[in-house]
Every structure is written in C-alpha cells, then in structure tokens.
Amino acid sequence: MRGLLSFLILHLLSKRMMYGDEIADEIARRKAEKPNPGTLYPTLKQLESRGLIESVKKGSAKYYKLTADGREGLRSAKEFFIQAYADIVLESK
C-alpha cells in the first residue's frame, strides 16, 4: 500500500495543506480504509525527506504541503499510472 499511499498523499496535498489525521480521514473517505498511524506517518516522513512535501507548524498541529518537486513527482506518478493501468480500465468497458 505504501506506493499507492504516497500517490494518494501527494494528490490530496495538491488540493490544499492538511494535517496527518485529516489526510488519513480523507483517504478513508475515498478508499473506505483508513491508514493506521504506523503506515501514514513513516510515509509522510519519507515524502518529506525526499523533498516532495514539507511540514509547517500551526499551533499544536503539523500541516503538510506539496513542494515544487512534489508537484513534479505527482505529475510523473500520474503518467506512470495511466501508462501502467490504462489498458486494464479500457479492457473492462
């Protein structure tokens, strides 16, 4: 799930800044499965260490936002998913 989770996080953060639990709730709303903190926070930390997202403290909450490299990474990931899975979608119609 980690690769898909990274993709979902980048996608969500392309819309707006979010804090960790907000990201988890939004993923649960879309996938009906909420990632546990032991999966979510290491993924956020890895994305931040790769320079794709950055964290900002607001009060007691830590918000995450996409960086310019993160926007490029999301664009590349979308292209990959389209190339890798488009035939599956088209075949199922």
Side-chain angles (χ1 to χ4, degrees):
M1 170 148 174
R2 184 158 291 179
L4 181 57
L5 182 59
S6 295
F7 178 76
L8 289 170
I9 290 169
L10 293 176
H11 173 71
L12 291 173
L13 294 179
S14 74
K15 308 296 181 197
R16 68 180 200 286
M17 283 181 31
M18 302 173 103
Y19 56 92
D21 201 42
E22 188 177 16
I23 294 168
D25 289 342
E26 187 61 27
I27 291 170
R29 188 181 73 73
R30 292 168 181 257
K31 286 188 66 237
E33 179 184 344
K34 186 173 182 174
N36 67 52
T39 303
L40 178 66
Y41 288 99
T43 304
L44 288 168
K45 185 175 182 174
Q46 184 228 23
L47 290 171
E48 190 167 19
S49 72
R50 291 176 53 202
L52 301 175
I53 65 173
E54 63 184 11
S55 59
V56 177
K57 259 317 221 181
K58 284 189 170 189
S60 62
K62 186 177 190 178
Y63 283 78
Y64 297 91
K65 65 181 184 176
L66 210 56
T67 64
D69 286 345
R71 289 197 188 285
E72 179 58 28
L74 177 59
R75 187 194 61 73
S76 295
K78 284 179 181 179
E79 285 179 10
F80 170 79
F81 276 102
I82 290 168
Q83 289 175 348
Y85 300 108
D87 62 328
I88 295 170
V89 174
L90 294 174
E91 287 176 8
S92 66
K93 289 186 175 185

